[in-house]
């Protein structure tokens, strides 16, 4: 039975394997950072981080798995190292960018006319979404009435 200790867990043979709680937060943070860059149209920065992640993963997995002799445990720790390296690099880029943003005054943030304009636009988009969903539901209901099998006379 595995006993939890620190950042990994020991198997019955005494080898330390990476725990999912170590790599999973880094992987999720990397998805958020990648989404930020892609959403801003900066695919180059996202590609750089993905290349860094996979390069560090490859190098660490090869070193730990083959040269150190940890086998599959080393490959797991190599993946953790790759995720952590990309997360640290991405966070460093984002912290630098957000520090450079000028401060916004509270009067600009809580402007009644700007909020009213935003809610008006959001309301129109919400109405459009409800109409589209209604059309999809109507087509689904109509197609469900046809059932999954059709009669041979209806085939073309």
């Amino acid at each position: 039975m595995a006993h939890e200790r620190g950042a990994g867990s020991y198997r019955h043979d005494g080898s330390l394997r990476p725990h999912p709680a170590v790599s999973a937060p880094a992987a999720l943070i990397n998805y958020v950072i990648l989404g930020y860059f892609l959403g801003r149209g900066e695919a180059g920065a996202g590609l750089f981080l993905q290349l860094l992640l996979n390069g560090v993963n490859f190098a660490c997995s090869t070193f730990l798995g083959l040269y150190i002799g940890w086998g599959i445990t080393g490959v797991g720790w190599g993946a953790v190292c790759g995720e952590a390296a990309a997360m640290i690099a991405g966070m460093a880029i984002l912290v630098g960018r957000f520090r450079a943003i000028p401060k916004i005054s509270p009067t600009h943030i809580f402007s009644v006319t700007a909020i009213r304009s935003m809610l008006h636009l959001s309301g129109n988009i919400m109405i459009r979404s409800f109409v589209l969903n209604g059309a999809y539901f109507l087509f689904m209901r109509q197609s469900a009435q046809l059932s999954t099998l059709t009669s041979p006379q209806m085939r073309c």
Side-chain angles (χ1 to χ4, degrees):
M1 199 81 319
H3 300 286
E4 301 298 327
R5 294 184 185 165
S9 59
Y10 288 92
R11 295 189 303 193
H12 64 280
D13 61 356
S15 63
L16 181 67
R17 64 179 175 187
H19 195 276
V22 176
S23 182
L28 293 175
I29 290 170
N30 283 331
Y31 281 127
V32 170
I33 293 170
L34 180 64
Y36 169 81
F37 285 129
L38 293 179
R40 292 194 43 95
E42 299 173 10
L47 179 62
F48 165 73
L49 289 175
Q50 291 300 302
L51 287 173
L52 176 71
L53 185 148
N54 289 309
V56 171
N57 185 355
F58 173 75
C60 288
S61 294
T62 303
F63 178 73
L64 295 174
L66 295 178
Y67 293 112
I68 301 296
W70 285 4
I72 196 68
T73 302
V75 173
W77 280 110
V80 170
C81 291
E83 293 285 349
M87 180 191 70
I88 291 168
M91 293 295 284
I93 294 170
L94 289 182
V95 166
R97 285 185 178 198
F98 286 130
R99 282 195 179 158
I101 293 176
K103 303 295 181 222
I104 300 173
S105 69
T107 57
H108 182 70
I109 293 173
F110 298 111
S111 171
V112 176
T113 56
I115 291 174
R116 186 175 292 131
S117 173
M118 180 186 66
L119 291 176
H120 179 71
L121 177 65
S122 296
N124 289 341
I125 292 173
M126 187 172 60
I127 291 169
R128 174 194 162 275
S129 298
F130 285 147
V131 169
L132 280 173
N133 279 334
Y136 291 141
F137 291 147
L138 177 68
F139 281 113
M140 268 195 310
R141 183 180 179 280
Q142 294 295 68
S143 64
Q145 289 179 349
L146 294 175
S147 79
T148 56
L149 300 174
T150 57
S151 64
Q153 293 84 14
M154 295 185 79
R155 292 187 186 162
C156 295

